Amino acid sequence: MRRKVTIVGAGMTGSSTAAWLAAREICDVVMIDILPGVPQGKALDLQEAMPVIEKDVTIVGSNSYEETAGSDIIVITAGVARKPGMTREDLMTTNANIVRMAAEETLKRSPNAVYIVLTNPLDTMAYLVQKVTKLPSHRVVGQAGILDAARMRTFVSLELGVSVENVQCYVLGGHGDEMVPLTRHSNVAGIPLRDILPPDRLSAIVERTRKGGAEVINFLGTSAYYAPAASVVQMVDAILKNKHLIVPASAYVQGEYGLHDMYFGVLTQLGRDGVEKIIPYDLNAEEKVMLNKSAEAVRQSMETLHKLVKLD
Ligand code: APR
């Protein structure tokens, strides 16, 4: 039996995710959206691409959650996207209500699913999904770190003229401007970035990574979707195939780096049950300071959430 992945939100990120999932032929896909006709139309269009790309998967679009029953993974991308000049926090009020409803409706029909959250503000929305569903925290994970690291890998690869495959980067912390690109641990074919790039070029790449989302928004007028969607697909693949894949992601921390009861970007190991492990880095004093600053930003975001939504 083919595995089933539901994507709530058939907008740019949701539909790009569906297209890339279908191209991998690893699952059937259901897309849900409130806009009448949109998920149905996108799903049919995508389904009709399958003979050409020679993939046997079913893609269904609906405005009703009935179609989602029995999903292995629920991806939540529903909500409003950022526009130029907006921070991810500006989306909170609207997106908290949308994400809450998406979590409640999907849980009723897919009680065994793993949740991957994309809607921003990311760490706070992942926290909301865990609180609303009351699932074990390892079954709710936020997509951010793969994307942030992919942006950093892109910039390093362009700077040095080497294959993206040779560039490994790691980014911790909240999915906001205070995120922490780990320059000591990031490397090109095992050689630390600090040994390859002059300090001013490395600082420029760190800054560009932190503002990577805004850079796209300023061109496009709305938030990025290809790289976010590709990042979700990597997570879905790791979970469905039980790969034990080590990637940065937003996970529920319980003492890691001295942080408790929040979702935060850490190094995770992903498998069948979601987050199998959080793998801690041995951070130096400078990195700890940056991480704490990022955690403070996420805490403030969570305070805003608590004012908006009553959670147990
Ligand atoms: N239920 C289902 N879908 C909804 C709901 C809802 N209650 N409310 C809104 N949506 C849908 C919209 O109709 C739209 O099709 O969510 C979709 C969002 O798509 P886009 O506006 O294209 O936004 P996108 O770029 O996909 O970003 C979605 O992901 O990366 C984050 O910051 C981004 O929070 C944003 C989210």
Side-chain angles (χ1 to χ4, degrees):
M1 199 177 75
R2 279 201 296 259
R3 313 297 295 278
K4 179 170 172 179
V5 173
T6 284
I7 302 168
V8 187
M12 298 312 300
T13 311
S15 56
S16 303
T17 303
W20 272 337
L21 280 178
R24 286 214 185 183
E25 207 179 29
I26 50 173
C27 56
D28 288 333
V29 178
V30 177
M31 276 190 283
I32 301 292
D33 204 286
I34 40 163
L35 295 178
V38 168
Q40 294 89 341
K42 287 190 177 184
L44 179 59
D45 186 16
L46 203 47
Q47 187 74 71
E48 290 167 355
M50 293 306 107
V52 184
I53 65 167
E54 300 175 340
K55 303 294 175 194
D56 283 301
V57 296
T58 305
I59 304 122
V60 171
S62 179
N63 303 118
S64 142
Y65 281 91
E66 298 313 317
E67 298 284 356
T68 69
S71 293
D72 297 286
I73 296 180
I74 309 285
V75 178
I76 300 186
T77 73
V80 288
R82 277 200 289 170
K83 299 283 176 271
M86 289 173 88
T87 68
R88 294 181 178 93
E89 296 306 314
D90 293 334
L91 310 175
M92 175 82 80
T93 312
T94 312
N95 285 356
N97 288 317
I98 294 171
V99 167
R100 179 184 197 145
M101 195 189 69
E104 286 168 351
E105 292 299 323
T106 47
L107 183 73
K108 280 184 219 164
R109 296 161 177 97
S110 302
N112 299 317
V114 171
Y115 281 74
I116 303 176
V117 183
L118 260 90
T119 304
N120 278 309
L122 187 273
D123 305 278
T124 312
M125 290 300 109
Y127 176 83
L128 174 64
V129 170
Q130 195 280 323
K131 291 292 167 196
V132 166
T133 58
K134 299 188 170 60
L135 287 171
S137 57
H138 63 87
R139 279 178 47 204
V140 178
V141 57
Q143 185 295 121
I146 297 179
L147 168 64
D148 297 329
R151 286 181 171 145
M152 189 171 172
R153 292 172 69 190
T154 304
F155 305 146
V156 171
S157 147
L158 292 173
E159 178 84 18
L160 295 174
V162 298
S163 168
V164 290
E165 290 179 45
N166 290 131
V167 184
Q168 293 306 327
C169 293
Y170 301 93
V171 179
L172 299 188
H175 186 49
D177 293 350
E178 309 293 347
M179 68 179 76
V180 185
L182 290 181
T183 55
R184 260 189 334 129
H185 306 79
S186 301
N187 66 81
V188 177
I191 306 165
L193 287 189
R194 287 177 175 198
D195 297 347
I196 305 177
L197 285 162
D200 61 324
R201 294 311 303 150
L202 190 50
S203 300
I205 286 173
V206 165
E207 245 349 81
R208 194 174 175 194
T209 301
R210 288 187 167 138
K211 305 270 167 55
E215 187 179 359
V216 174
I217 293 172
N218 289 338
F219 283 119
L220 198 58
T222 189
S223 63
Y225 42 90
Y226 290 127
S231 306
V232 180
V233 169
Q234 189 178 37
M235 294 172 82
V236 169
D237 192 62
I239 294 166
L240 290 184
K241 294 180 183 161
N242 196 25
K243 280 173 76 103
H244 316 299
L245 183 75
I246 297 174
V247 282
S250 182
Y252 188 73
V253 284
Q254 299 173 83
E256 291 84 2
Y257 306 109
L259 303 171
H260 295 271
D261 192 31
M262 65 194 290
Y263 271 76
F264 198 60
V266 288
L267 194 64
T268 63
Q269 181 176 304
L270 299 183
R272 185 190 299 119
D273 295 325
V275 178
E276 298 177 320
K277 255 189 223 171
I278 292 177
I279 301 166
Y281 281 105
D282 189 11
L283 299 181
N284 64 24
E286 182 197 358
E287 290 156 350
K288 281 181 192 159
V289 168
M290 289 193 288
L291 205 71
N292 284 332
K293 197 169 167 204
S294 177
E296 192 42 45
V298 175
R299 258 193 226 105
Q300 280 176 17
S301 170
M302 288 169 59
E303 273 174 31
T304 310
L305 176 77
H306 282 294
K307 283 181 197 147
L308 286 171
V309 183
K310 194 178 169 326
L311 296 168
D312 296 341

